Amino acid sequence: WIKRCLDLVVALICLMLLLPIFVIIAVSIKLDSPGPIFHKQFRIGLKGTQFRMCKFRTMIATASDLQQTLESKNQAKGGVLFKLKIDPRCTRIGRFLRRYSLDELPQIINVTHSEC
């Protein structure tokens, strides 16, 4: 429980320090394209437990619908992974967030809370 307490304290301090950056990114996402600020997805964690993972949205809101039309251009051969070097579904701010891994910042919420 000591490690869990330390994780929570560090995560909460990071959240407080990063709050201004979160706000700037959230406003930028909203101004860049319509849709939610966060992309939420269920993932499997430690010991097979399921949790909701949150990231800043970097693609247009209808990205999953467009994936089927882009399947023929998939650059990740022979697998379940779908990857395009220049993905037309990415928003302008989304490309910037991905380049600097800023889209991953909300995952610190996963340390403090199981839901976003």
Side-chain angles (χ1 to χ4, degrees):
W1 68 271
I2 293 174
K3 183 185 180 318
R4 177 70 178 149
C5 288
L6 182 64
D7 288 347
L8 287 172
V9 169
V10 171
L12 289 172
I13 290 170
C14 288
L15 279 172
M16 287 187 289
L17 293 173
L18 292 171
L19 188 61
I21 294 171
F22 272 58
V23 170
I24 291 168
I25 291 172
V27 169
S28 299
I29 290 170
K30 272 302 194 186
L31 292 175
D32 190 40
S33 67
I37 293 169
F38 294 106
H39 168 71
K40 299 174 185 177
Q41 190 176 50
F42 283 102
R43 297 276 173 98
I44 304 298
L46 187 64
K47 298 179 184 175
T49 58
Q50 192 177 38
F51 69 96
R52 182 175 280 184
M53 182 262 330
C54 296
K55 293 170 64 170
F56 283 119
R57 183 176 56 86
T58 59
M59 293 189 168
I60 59 173
T62 59
S64 58
D65 299 335
L66 294 175
Q67 182 174 337
Q68 292 176 343
T69 62
L70 297 169
E71 285 288 343
S72 63
K73 298 177 183 178
N74 189 3
Q75 295 171 336
K77 302 297 178 199
V80 294
L81 183 65
F82 180 77
K83 189 90 172 160
L84 292 174
K85 186 171 179 105
I86 300 173
D87 197 329
R89 301 170 302 160
C90 270
T91 62
R92 287 176 298 158
I93 188 69
R95 282 191 274 288
F96 175 82
L97 294 175
R98 285 182 173 198
R99 183 177 304 131
Y100 297 103
S101 298
L102 296 173
D103 60 322
E104 308 286 346
L105 285 177
Q107 290 192 48
I108 192 124
I109 295 169
N110 295 336
V111 175
T112 59
H113 198 274
S114 61
E115 292 286 327
C116 300

